[in-house]
Coordinates of all heavy atoms in Angstrom, one line a residue:
M3 N -3.5 -13.0 12.6 CA -4.6 -12.3 12.0 C -5.9 -12.9 12.5 O -6.1 -14.1 12.4 CB -4.4 -12.6 10.4 CG -5.3 -11.7 9.6 SD -4.7 -11.6 7.9 CE -3.2 -10.8 8.1
S4 N -6.8 -12.1 12.9 CA -8.0 -12.6 13.6 C -9.0 -13.2 12.6 O -9.9 -13.9 13.0 CB -8.7 -11.5 14.4 OG -9.1 -10.4 13.6
D5 N -9.0 -12.8 11.3 CA -10.0 -13.3 10.4 C -9.3 -14.1 9.3 O -8.5 -13.5 8.5 CB -10.8 -12.1 9.7 CG -12.0 -12.6 8.9 OD1 -11.9 -13.7 8.3 OD2 -13.0 -11.9 8.9
A6 N -9.6 -15.3 9.2 CA -8.9 -16.2 8.2 C -9.1 -15.8 6.8 O -8.3 -16.0 5.9 CB -9.4 -17.7 8.4
R7 N -10.2 -15.1 6.5 CA -10.5 -14.7 5.2 C -9.5 -13.6 4.7 O -9.3 -13.5 3.5 CB -11.9 -14.1 5.0 CG -13.0 -15.2 5.2 CD -14.4 -14.6 5.0 NE -14.7 -13.7 6.2 CZ -15.9 -13.1 6.4 NH1 -16.8 -13.2 5.4 NH2 -16.1 -12.4 7.4
M8 N -8.9 -12.9 5.6 CA -7.9 -11.9 5.3 C -6.5 -12.5 5.0 O -5.6 -11.9 4.4 CB -7.7 -10.9 6.4 CG -9.0 -10.1 6.7 SD -9.2 -8.9 5.4 CE -10.4 -7.8 6.2
R9 N -6.3 -13.8 5.4 CA -5.0 -14.4 5.3 C -4.4 -14.4 3.9 O -3.2 -14.2 3.7 CB -5.0 -15.8 5.9 CG -3.8 -16.5 6.0 CD -3.9 -17.9 6.5 NE -5.3 -18.3 6.6 CZ -5.9 -19.0 7.5 NH1 -5.2 -19.6 8.4 NH2 -7.2 -19.3 7.4
D10 N -5.2 -14.7 2.9 CA -4.7 -14.8 1.5 C -4.7 -13.4 0.8 O -4.3 -13.3 -0.3 CB -5.6 -15.8 0.7 CG -5.5 -17.2 1.2 OD1 -4.4 -17.5 1.7 OD2 -6.5 -17.9 1.1
L11 N -5.2 -12.4 1.4 CA -5.3 -11.1 0.8 C -3.9 -10.5 0.3 O -3.8 -10.0 -0.8 CB -6.0 -10.1 1.7 CG -6.4 -8.8 1.1 CD1 -7.3 -9.0 -0.1 CD2 -7.1 -7.9 2.1
P12 N -2.9 -10.6 1.2 CA -1.6 -10.0 0.7 C -1.1 -10.6 -0.6 O -0.7 -9.9 -1.5 CB -0.6 -10.2 1.9 CG -1.6 -10.3 3.1 CD -2.8 -10.9 2.6
A13 N -1.1 -11.9 -0.6 CA -0.6 -12.6 -1.9 C -1.5 -12.2 -3.0 O -1.0 -12.0 -4.2 CB -0.5 -14.1 -1.6
H14 N -2.8 -12.2 -2.8 CA -3.7 -11.9 -3.9 C -3.4 -10.5 -4.4 O -3.3 -10.2 -5.6 CB -5.1 -12.0 -3.4 CG -6.2 -11.5 -4.4 ND1 -6.5 -12.2 -5.5 CD2 -6.9 -10.3 -4.4 CE1 -7.4 -11.5 -6.1 NE2 -7.7 -10.4 -5.5
A15 N -3.3 -9.5 -3.5 CA -3.0 -8.1 -3.9 C -1.7 -8.0 -4.6 O -1.5 -7.3 -5.6 CB -3.1 -7.2 -2.7
E16 N -0.6 -8.6 -4.0 CA 0.7 -8.5 -4.6 C 0.7 -9.1 -6.0 O 1.5 -8.6 -6.8 CB 1.7 -9.2 -3.7 CG 2.0 -8.4 -2.5 CD 2.8 -9.2 -1.4 OE1 3.2 -10.4 -1.7 OE2 3.1 -8.6 -0.4
S17 N -0.1 -10.0 -6.3 CA 0.0 -10.6 -7.6 C -0.9 -9.8 -8.6 O -0.9 -10.1 -9.8 CB -0.6 -12.1 -7.6 OG -1.9 -12.1 -7.3
R18 N -1.6 -8.8 -8.1 CA -2.5 -8.0 -9.0 C -2.2 -6.5 -8.9 O -3.1 -5.7 -8.9 CB -3.9 -8.3 -8.6 CG -4.3 -9.7 -9.1 CD -5.7 -10.1 -8.5 NE -6.3 -11.3 -9.0 CZ -5.8 -12.5 -8.9 NH1 -4.7 -12.7 -8.2 NH2 -6.3 -13.5 -9.4
L19 N -1.0 -6.1 -8.7 CA -0.6 -4.7 -8.5 C -1.0 -3.8 -9.7 O -1.3 -2.6 -9.6 CB 0.8 -4.5 -8.2 CG 1.3 -5.1 -6.9 CD1 2.8 -4.9 -6.7 CD2 0.5 -4.4 -5.7
T20 N -1.1 -4.4 -10.9 CA -1.5 -3.6 -12.0 C -3.0 -3.5 -12.2 O -3.5 -2.8 -13.0 CB -1.0 -4.3 -13.3 OG1 -1.5 -5.6 -13.5 CG2 0.5 -4.3 -13.4
H21 N -3.8 -4.2 -11.3 CA -5.2 -4.1 -11.4 C -5.8 -3.0 -10.4 O -5.1 -2.6 -9.5 CB -5.9 -5.4 -11.0 CG -5.6 -6.5 -11.9 ND1 -4.4 -7.2 -11.9 CD2 -6.3 -7.0 -13.0 CE1 -4.4 -8.1 -12.9 NE2 -5.6 -8.0 -13.6
K22 N -7.0 -2.7 -10.5 CA -7.7 -1.8 -9.6 C -7.8 -2.5 -8.3 O -8.4 -3.6 -8.2 CB -9.0 -1.4 -10.1 CG -9.8 -0.4 -9.3 CD -11.0 0.0 -9.9 CE -11.8 1.1 -9.1 NZ -13.0 1.5 -9.7
L23 N -7.3 -2.0 -7.2 CA -7.3 -2.6 -5.9 C -8.0 -1.6 -4.9 O -7.4 -1.2 -3.9 CB -5.9 -2.9 -5.4 CG -5.2 -4.0 -6.2 CD1 -3.7 -4.1 -5.7 CD2 -5.9 -5.4 -6.1
D24 N -9.3 -1.4 -5.1 CA -10.0 -0.5 -4.2 C -10.7 -1.3 -3.2 O -10.7 -2.6 -3.2 CB -11.0 0.4 -5.0 CG -12.0 -0.4 -5.8 OD1 -12.1 -1.6 -5.7 OD2 -12.9 0.3 -6.4
V25 N -11.4 -0.7 -2.3 CA -12.1 -1.4 -1.2 C -13.1 -2.4 -1.8 O -13.2 -3.5 -1.3 CB -12.8 -0.4 -0.3 CG1 -13.7 -1.1 0.7 CG2 -11.8 0.4 0.5
N26 N -13.9 -2.0 -2.8 CA -14.9 -2.9 -3.4 C -14.2 -4.2 -3.9 O -14.8 -5.3 -3.7 CB -15.7 -2.2 -4.4 CG -16.6 -1.1 -3.9 OD1 -17.0 -1.2 -2.8 ND2 -16.8 -0.1 -4.7
T27 N -13.2 -4.0 -4.7 CA -12.5 -5.2 -5.2 C -11.9 -6.1 -4.2 O -12.0 -7.3 -4.2 CB -11.3 -4.7 -6.2 OG1 -11.9 -3.9 -7.1 CG2 -10.6 -5.9 -6.8
L28 N -11.2 -5.5 -3.2 CA -10.6 -6.3 -2.1 C -11.7 -7.0 -1.3 O -11.6 -8.1 -0.9 CB -9.7 -5.4 -1.2 CG -8.5 -4.8 -2.0 CD1 -7.8 -3.8 -1.1 CD2 -7.6 -5.9 -2.5
A29 N -12.8 -6.2 -1.0 CA -13.9 -6.8 -0.2 C -14.5 -8.0 -0.9 O -14.8 -9.0 -0.3 CB -14.9 -5.7 0.1
A30 N -14.7 -7.9 -2.2 CA -15.2 -9.0 -3.0 C -14.3 -10.3 -2.9 O -14.8 -11.4 -2.8 CB -15.4 -8.6 -4.5
F31 N -13.0 -10.1 -2.9 CA -12.1 -11.2 -2.8 C -12.3 -12.0 -1.5 O -12.2 -13.2 -1.5 CB -10.7 -10.7 -2.9 CG -9.7 -11.8 -2.7 CD1 -9.5 -12.8 -3.7 CD2 -8.9 -12.0 -1.5 CE1 -8.6 -13.8 -3.6 CE2 -8.1 -13.0 -1.4 CZ -7.9 -13.9 -2.3
V32 N -12.5 -11.2 -0.4 CA -12.7 -11.9 0.9 C -14.2 -12.1 1.3 O -14.5 -12.5 2.4 CB -12.0 -11.1 2.0 CG1 -10.5 -11.1 1.8 CG2 -12.5 -9.7 2.2
A33 N -15.1 -11.9 0.3 CA -16.5 -12.1 0.4 C -17.1 -11.4 1.6 O -17.8 -11.9 2.5 CB -16.8 -13.6 0.6
M34 N -16.8 -10.1 1.6 CA -17.4 -9.2 2.6 C -18.0 -8.0 2.0 O -17.6 -7.6 0.9 CB -16.3 -8.7 3.6 CG -15.7 -9.7 4.5 SD -14.5 -8.8 5.6 CE -13.8 -10.2 6.4
S35 N -18.9 -7.3 2.7 CA -19.4 -6.0 2.2 C -18.2 -5.0 2.3 O -17.4 -5.2 3.2 CB -20.6 -5.5 3.0 OG -20.1 -5.1 4.3
P36 N -18.2 -4.0 1.5 CA -17.1 -3.0 1.6 C -17.0 -2.4 3.0 O -15.9 -2.2 3.5 CB -17.5 -2.0 0.5 CG -18.2 -2.7 -0.5 CD -19.0 -3.7 0.3
R37 N -18.1 -2.1 3.6 CA -18.0 -1.5 4.9 C -17.5 -2.4 6.0 O -16.6 -2.0 6.8 CB -19.5 -1.0 5.3 CG -19.5 -0.2 6.6 CD -20.9 0.3 6.8 NE -20.9 1.0 8.0 CZ -21.9 1.5 8.6 NH1 -23.1 1.5 8.0 NH2 -21.8 2.2 9.7
T38 N -17.9 -3.7 6.0 CA -17.4 -4.6 6.9 C -15.9 -4.9 6.6 O -15.1 -5.0 7.5 CB -18.2 -6.0 6.8 OG1 -19.5 -5.7 7.2 CG2 -17.6 -7.0 7.7
F39 N -15.6 -5.0 5.3 CA -14.2 -5.2 5.0 C -13.3 -4.1 5.5 O -12.2 -4.4 6.1 CB -14.1 -5.3 3.4 CG -12.6 -5.3 3.0 CD1 -11.8 -6.4 3.1 CD2 -12.0 -4.1 2.5 CE1 -10.5 -6.4 2.7 CE2 -10.7 -4.1 2.1 CZ -9.9 -5.3 2.2
A40 N -13.7 -2.8 5.3 CA -12.9 -1.7 5.8 C -12.6 -1.8 7.3 O -11.5 -1.6 7.7 CB -13.5 -0.4 5.4
R41 N -13.7 -2.1 8.0 CA -13.5 -2.2 9.5 C -12.6 -3.4 9.8 O -11.6 -3.3 10.6 CB -14.9 -2.4 10.2 CG -15.6 -1.2 10.4 CD -16.8 -1.4 11.4 NE -17.6 -2.6 11.1 CZ -18.6 -2.7 10.3 NH1 -19.1 -1.6 9.7 NH2 -19.3 -3.8 10.1
Q42 N -12.8 -4.6 9.3 CA -12.1 -5.8 9.5 C -10.6 -5.5 9.1 O -9.7 -6.0 9.7 CB -12.6 -7.0 8.8 CG -14.0 -7.4 9.3 CD -13.8 -8.2 10.6 OE1 -12.9 -8.8 10.8 NE2 -14.8 -8.0 11.4
F43 N -10.4 -4.9 8.0 CA -9.1 -4.7 7.4 C -8.3 -3.9 8.4 O -7.1 -4.2 8.7 CB -9.2 -4.0 6.1 CG -7.8 -3.8 5.4 CD1 -7.4 -4.8 4.5 CD2 -7.0 -2.8 5.7 CE1 -6.1 -4.7 3.9 CE2 -5.7 -2.7 5.1 CZ -5.3 -3.7 4.3
E44 N -8.8 -2.8 8.8 CA -8.0 -1.9 9.8 C -7.7 -2.7 11.1 O -6.6 -2.5 11.6 CB -8.8 -0.6 10.1 CG -8.7 0.3 8.8 CD -9.1 1.7 9.1 OE1 -8.8 2.3 10.2 OE2 -9.8 2.3 8.2
G45 N -8.7 -3.5 11.5 CA -8.4 -4.3 12.7 C -7.3 -5.3 12.5 O -6.5 -5.6 13.4
N46 N -7.2 -5.9 11.3 CA -6.2 -6.9 11.0 C -4.8 -6.3 10.6 O -3.8 -6.9 10.9 CB -6.7 -7.9 9.9 CG -7.7 -8.9 10.4 OD1 -7.3 -9.8 11.0 ND2 -9.0 -8.7 10.1
F47 N -4.9 -5.3 9.8 CA -3.6 -4.7 9.3 C -3.1 -3.4 9.9 O -2.0 -3.0 9.7 CB -3.8 -4.5 7.8 CG -3.9 -5.8 7.0 CD1 -5.2 -6.4 6.7 CD2 -2.8 -6.5 6.6 CE1 -5.3 -7.5 6.0 CE2 -2.9 -7.7 5.9 CZ -4.2 -8.2 5.6
G48 N -4.0 -2.8 10.7 CA -3.6 -1.6 11.4 C -3.4 -0.4 10.5 O -2.7 0.6 10.9
T49 N -4.0 -0.4 9.4 CA -3.9 0.7 8.4 C -5.2 0.7 7.5 O -5.9 -0.3 7.6 CB -2.6 0.7 7.6 OG1 -2.5 1.9 6.9 CG2 -2.6 -0.5 6.7
T50 N -5.3 1.7 6.7 CA -6.4 1.7 5.7 C -6.1 0.8 4.5 O -4.9 0.7 4.2 CB -6.8 3.1 5.3 OG1 -5.7 3.6 4.5 CG2 -7.1 4.0 6.5
P51 N -7.0 0.3 3.8 CA -6.7 -0.4 2.6 C -5.9 0.4 1.6 O -5.0 -0.1 0.9 CB -8.1 -0.8 2.0 CG -9.0 -0.8 3.2 CD -8.5 0.3 4.1
A52 N -6.3 1.7 1.4 CA -5.6 2.6 0.5 C -4.1 2.7 0.8 O -3.2 2.6 0.0 CB -6.2 4.0 0.4
R53 N -3.8 3.0 2.1 CA -2.4 3.1 2.5 C -1.6 1.7 2.3 O -0.5 1.7 1.9 CB -2.3 3.5 3.9 CG -2.6 5.0 4.2 CD -2.4 5.4 5.6 NE -2.8 6.8 5.8 CZ -3.8 7.2 6.6 NH1 -4.3 6.3 7.5 NH2 -4.1 8.4 6.7
W54 N -2.3 0.6 2.6 CA -1.7 -0.7 2.5 C -1.4 -1.0 1.0 O -0.3 -1.4 0.7 CB -2.7 -1.7 3.1 CG -2.2 -3.1 3.1 CD1 -1.2 -3.7 3.9 CD2 -2.6 -4.1 2.2 NE1 -1.1 -5.0 3.5 CE2 -1.9 -5.3 2.5 CE3 -3.6 -4.2 1.2 CZ2 -2.1 -6.5 1.8 CZ3 -3.8 -5.4 0.5 CH2 -3.1 -6.5 0.9
V55 N -2.3 -0.8 0.1 CA -2.1 -1.0 -1.3 C -0.9 -0.1 -1.8 O 0.0 -0.6 -2.5 CB -3.3 -0.8 -2.1 CG1 -3.0 -0.8 -3.6 CG2 -4.4 -1.9 -1.8
R56 N -0.9 1.1 -1.4 CA 0.1 2.0 -1.8 C 1.5 1.5 -1.3 O 2.5 1.5 -2.0 CB -0.1 3.5 -1.3 CG 0.8 4.5 -1.8 CD 0.4 5.9 -1.5 NE -0.1 6.1 -0.2 CZ -1.4 6.4 0.0 NH1 -2.3 6.5 -1.0 NH2 -1.9 6.6 1.3
S57 N 1.5 1.0 -0.1 CA 2.8 0.5 0.5 C 3.3 -0.7 -0.3 O 4.5 -0.9 -0.5 CB 2.7 0.3 2.0 OG 1.9 -0.9 2.2
L58 N 2.3 -1.6 -0.7 CA 2.7 -2.8 -1.5 C 3.3 -2.3 -2.8 O 4.3 -2.9 -3.3 CB 1.4 -3.6 -1.8 CG 0.8 -4.4 -0.6 CD1 -0.4 -5.1 -1.1 CD2 1.8 -5.3 0.0
R59 N 2.7 -1.3 -3.4 CA 3.2 -0.8 -4.7 C 4.6 -0.2 -4.6 O 5.5 -0.4 -5.4 CB 2.2 0.1 -5.4 CG 1.0 -0.6 -5.9 CD 0.0 0.3 -6.6 NE -0.9 -0.5 -7.3 CZ -2.2 -0.3 -7.3 NH1 -2.7 0.8 -6.7 NH2 -3.1 -1.1 -8.0
V60 N 4.7 0.6 -3.5 CA 6.0 1.3 -3.3 C 7.1 0.2 -3.0 O 8.3 0.3 -3.6 CB 5.9 2.3 -2.1 CG1 7.3 2.7 -1.6 CG2 5.1 3.5 -2.5
E61 N 6.8 -0.8 -2.2 CA 7.8 -1.8 -1.9 C 8.2 -2.6 -3.2 O 9.3 -2.9 -3.4 CB 7.3 -2.8 -0.9 CG 8.2 -4.0 -0.6 CD 9.6 -3.5 0.0 OE1 9.7 -2.4 0.5 OE2 10.5 -4.4 -0.2
A62 N 7.2 -2.9 -4.0 CA 7.5 -3.6 -5.3 C 8.3 -2.8 -6.2 O 9.3 -3.3 -6.8 CB 6.2 -4.0 -6.0
A63 N 8.0 -1.5 -6.2 CA 8.8 -0.6 -7.1 C 10.2 -0.5 -6.5 O 11.2 -0.5 -7.3 CB 8.2 0.8 -7.1
R64 N 10.4 -0.4 -5.2 CA 11.7 -0.3 -4.6 C 12.6 -1.6 -5.0 O 13.7 -1.5 -5.4 CB 11.6 -0.2 -3.1 CG 13.0 -0.1 -2.4 CD 12.9 -0.2 -0.9 NE 12.5 -1.6 -0.5 CZ 13.3 -2.7 -0.5 NH1 14.5 -2.6 -0.9 NH2 12.8 -3.8 -0.1
Q65 N 11.9 -2.7 -4.9 CA 12.6 -4.0 -5.3 C 13.1 -4.0 -6.8 O 14.2 -4.4 -7.1 CB 11.8 -5.2 -5.0 CG 11.6 -5.4 -3.5 CD 10.6 -6.5 -3.2 OE1 10.1 -7.2 -4.0 NE2 10.4 -6.7 -1.9
H66 N 12.2 -3.5 -7.6 CA 12.5 -3.5 -9.1 C 13.6 -2.4 -9.3 O 14.5 -2.7 -10.1 CB 11.3 -3.1 -9.9 CG 10.4 -4.2 -10.1 ND1 10.7 -5.3 -10.8 CD2 9.1 -4.3 -9.7 CE1 9.6 -6.1 -10.8 NE2 8.6 -5.6 -10.1
L67 N 13.6 -1.3 -8.6 CA 14.7 -0.3 -8.7 C 16.0 -0.9 -8.3 O 17.1 -0.6 -8.9 CB 14.4 1.0 -7.9 CG 13.3 1.9 -8.5 CD1 12.8 2.9 -7.5 CD2 13.8 2.5 -9.8
E68 N 16.0 -1.6 -7.2 CA 17.3 -2.2 -6.7 C 17.8 -3.3 -7.7 O 19.0 -3.4 -7.8 CB 17.0 -2.9 -5.3 CG 16.9 -1.8 -4.3 CD 16.7 -2.4 -2.9 OE1 16.5 -3.7 -2.8 OE2 16.7 -1.7 -1.9
S69 N 16.9 -4.0 -8.4 CA 17.4 -5.0 -9.3 C 17.9 -4.4 -10.6 O 18.7 -5.0 -11.3 CB 16.3 -6.0 -9.6 OG 15.3 -5.4 -10.4
R70 N 17.5 -3.2 -10.9 CA 17.9 -2.5 -12.1 C 17.6 -3.2 -13.4 O 18.4 -3.0 -14.4 CB 19.3 -2.0 -12.0 CG 19.6 -1.2 -10.8 CD 21.1 -0.8 -10.7 NE 21.3 -0.1 -9.5 CZ 22.0 1.0 -9.5 NH1 22.5 1.5 -10.6 NH2 22.2 1.7 -8.4
N71 N 16.7 -4.1 -13.4 CA 16.3 -4.8 -14.6 C 15.3 -4.2 -15.5 O 15.2 -4.5 -16.7 CB 15.8 -6.2 -14.3 CG 16.9 -7.1 -13.6 OD1 18.1 -6.9 -13.9 ND2 16.5 -8.0 -12.7
L72 N 14.6 -3.2 -15.0 CA 13.5 -2.6 -15.7 C 13.7 -1.0 -15.8 O 14.3 -0.5 -14.9 CB 12.2 -2.9 -15.1 CG 11.7 -4.3 -15.0 CD1 10.4 -4.4 -14.2 CD2 11.6 -5.0 -16.4
S73 N 13.2 -0.4 -16.8 CA 13.2 1.0 -16.9 C 12.1 1.6 -15.9 O 11.3 0.8 -15.4 CB 12.8 1.5 -18.3 OG 11.4 1.2 -18.6
L74 N 12.2 2.9 -15.6 CA 11.3 3.5 -14.7 C 9.9 3.4 -15.2 O 8.9 3.1 -14.5 CB 11.6 4.9 -14.4 CG 12.8 5.2 -13.6 CD1 13.1 6.7 -13.6 CD2 12.7 4.6 -12.3
K75 N 9.7 3.5 -16.5 CA 8.4 3.4 -17.1 C 7.8 2.0 -16.9 O 6.6 1.8 -16.6 CB 8.4 3.8 -18.6 CG 7.1 3.8 -19.3 CD 7.3 4.3 -20.7 CE 5.9 4.4 -21.4 NZ 6.1 4.9 -22.8
E76 N 8.6 1.0 -17.1 CA 8.2 -0.4 -17.0 C 7.9 -0.7 -15.5 O 6.9 -1.4 -15.2 CB 9.3 -1.3 -17.5 CG 8.9 -2.7 -17.6 CD 7.7 -3.0 -18.6 OE1 7.4 -2.2 -19.4 OE2 7.1 -4.1 -18.5
I77 N 8.7 -0.2 -14.6 CA 8.5 -0.4 -13.1 C 7.1 0.2 -12.8 O 6.3 -0.4 -12.1 CB 9.6 0.2 -12.3 CG1 10.9 -0.6 -12.5 CG2 9.2 0.3 -10.8 CD1 12.1 0.0 -11.9
A78 N 6.9 1.4 -13.3 CA 5.6 2.1 -13.0 C 4.4 1.2 -13.5 O 3.4 1.1 -12.8 CB 5.5 3.5 -13.6
R79 N 4.6 0.6 -14.7 CA 3.5 -0.2 -15.3 C 3.3 -1.4 -14.4 O 2.2 -1.8 -14.1 CB 3.9 -0.5 -16.7 CG 2.7 -1.2 -17.4 CD 3.1 -1.8 -18.8 NE 4.1 -2.8 -18.7 CZ 3.9 -4.1 -18.3 NH1 2.6 -4.4 -17.9 NH2 4.8 -5.0 -18.3
V80 N 4.4 -2.2 -14.1 CA 4.2 -3.5 -13.4 C 3.8 -3.3 -11.9 O 3.4 -4.3 -11.3 CB 5.4 -4.4 -13.5 CG1 5.7 -4.7 -15.0 CG2 6.6 -3.8 -12.8
T81 N 3.9 -2.1 -11.4 CA 3.6 -1.9 -10.0 C 2.3 -1.2 -9.8 O 1.8 -0.9 -8.7 CB 4.7 -1.2 -9.2 OG1 5.0 0.0 -9.8 CG2 6.0 -2.1 -9.1
G82 N 1.6 -0.8 -10.9 CA 0.3 -0.2 -10.8 C 0.4 1.3 -10.7 O -0.6 2.0 -10.5
F83 N 1.6 1.9 -10.9 CA 1.7 3.4 -10.8 C 1.7 4.0 -12.2 O 1.7 5.2 -12.3 CB 3.1 3.8 -10.2 CG 3.1 3.6 -8.7 CD1 4.0 2.7 -8.1 CD2 2.2 4.3 -7.9 CE1 4.1 2.6 -6.7 CE2 2.3 4.1 -6.5 CZ 3.2 3.3 -5.9
A84 N 1.5 3.3 -13.2 CA 1.5 3.8 -14.6 C 0.4 4.8 -14.9 O 0.5 5.8 -15.6 CB 1.5 2.7 -15.6
T85 N -0.8 4.5 -14.3 CA -1.9 5.5 -14.5 C -2.7 5.6 -13.2 O -2.6 4.7 -12.2 CB -2.9 4.9 -15.5 OG1 -3.5 3.7 -15.0 CG2 -2.2 4.7 -16.8
N86 N -3.5 6.6 -13.0 CA -4.3 6.8 -11.8 C -5.5 5.8 -11.8 O -6.1 5.6 -10.8 CB -4.8 8.2 -11.8 CG -3.7 9.1 -11.4 OD1 -2.8 8.7 -10.7 ND2 -3.9 10.4 -11.8
K87 N -5.9 5.2 -12.9 CA -7.1 4.3 -12.9 C -6.9 3.1 -12.0 O -7.9 2.5 -11.6 CB -7.4 3.9 -14.4 CG -6.6 2.8 -14.9 CD -7.1 2.4 -16.3 CE -6.4 1.2 -16.8 NZ -6.9 0.7 -18.0
H88 N -5.7 2.7 -11.7 CA -5.4 1.6 -10.9 C -5.2 2.0 -9.4 O -5.0 1.1 -8.6 CB -4.3 0.8 -11.4 CG -4.5 0.2 -12.7 ND1 -5.6 -0.6 -13.1 CD2 -3.8 0.3 -13.9 CE1 -5.5 -0.9 -14.3 NE2 -4.4 -0.4 -14.8
S89 N -5.2 3.2 -9.1 CA -4.9 3.6 -7.7 C -6.1 3.4 -6.9 O -7.3 3.3 -7.3 CB -4.5 5.1 -7.7 OG -5.6 5.9 -8.1
V90 N -5.9 3.3 -5.6 CA -7.0 3.1 -4.6 C -7.7 4.4 -4.5 O -7.2 5.4 -4.4 CB -6.4 2.6 -3.3 CG1 -7.5 2.5 -2.3 CG2 -5.7 1.3 -3.5
E91 N -9.0 4.3 -4.4 CA -9.9 5.4 -4.2 C -9.8 5.9 -2.8 O -10.2 5.1 -1.9 CB -11.3 5.1 -4.7 CG -11.3 4.5 -6.1 CD -12.4 5.0 -6.9 OE1 -13.2 5.8 -6.4 OE2 -12.5 4.6 -8.1
H92 N -9.3 7.0 -2.5 CA -9.1 7.5 -1.2 C -10.5 7.7 -0.5 O -10.6 7.4 0.7 CB -8.3 8.8 -1.1 CG -6.9 8.6 -1.6 ND1 -6.0 8.0 -1.0 CD2 -6.4 9.0 -2.8 CE1 -4.8 7.9 -1.7 NE2 -5.1 8.6 -2.8
S93 N -11.5 8.1 -1.2 CA -12.8 8.3 -0.5 C -13.4 7.0 0.0 O -14.1 7.1 0.9 CB -13.7 9.0 -1.5 OG -13.9 8.2 -2.6
S94 N -13.1 5.9 -0.6 CA -13.7 4.7 -0.2 C -13.0 4.1 1.0 O -13.5 3.1 1.6 CB -13.7 3.6 -1.3 OG -12.4 3.3 -1.8
S95 N -11.9 4.7 1.4 CA -11.2 4.1 2.6 C -11.3 5.0 3.8 O -10.7 4.7 4.8 CB -9.7 3.9 2.2 OG -9.1 5.1 2.0
K96 N -12.1 6.0 3.7 CA -12.3 6.9 4.9 C -13.5 6.5 5.7 O -14.4 5.9 5.3 CB -12.4 8.3 4.4 CG -11.1 8.8 3.8 CD -11.3 10.3 3.4 CE -10.0 10.7 2.8 NZ -10.0 12.1 2.3

């Protein structure tokens, strides 16, 4: 990863899947402006922040489904799919 500030981002995001994880929030975590963050993010991760957060949530949901310890409603809640208010804003990642 070319920018050390991005190194801790995956663990941070994975621990906060139930929170709003939009470009502004993620940029604040790495102390960058949203515009700089979006450029740096795509260079480091090869995808947009929105797609990346969605993939983290899908992977977490998959793991919970495989373990069969939670109901679908609970899985949706703990992975950030319970409501749209926690989804990444698509317009901020374009």
Side-chain angles (χ1 to χ4, degrees):
M3 192 164 295
S4 64
D5 191 326
R7 293 183 287 182
M8 295 286 195
R9 188 180 10 214
D10 296 328
L11 190 59
H14 174 75
E16 288 170 0
S17 71
R18 289 169 169 67
L19 292 178
T20 60
H21 294 84
K22 184 176 183 179
L23 294 173
D24 64 359
V25 170
N26 292 332
T27 303
L28 297 172
F31 176 74
V32 296
M34 292 182 188
S35 71
R37 186 173 179 184
T38 298
F39 170 77
R41 279 194 313 270
Q42 293 285 326
F43 186 93
E44 288 193 39
N46 281 284
F47 292 93
T49 189
T50 66
R53 286 185 184 123
W54 181 74
V55 168
R56 189 171 38 251
S57 72
L58 291 178
R59 288 185 167 135
V60 167
E61 178 59 21
R64 183 191 65 76
Q65 290 175 3
H66 285 294
L67 285 168
E68 286 179 354
S69 72
R70 299 177 185 230
N71 293 330
L72 301 173
S73 69
L74 289 177
K75 186 175 182 178
E76 189 66 13
I77 291 171
R79 189 188 65 73
V80 301
T81 58
F83 285 120
T85 66
N86 287 333
K87 77 176 187 173
H88 298 305
S89 65
V90 175
E91 309 220 357
H92 297 287
S93 62
S94 61
S95 64
K96 291 183 181 177

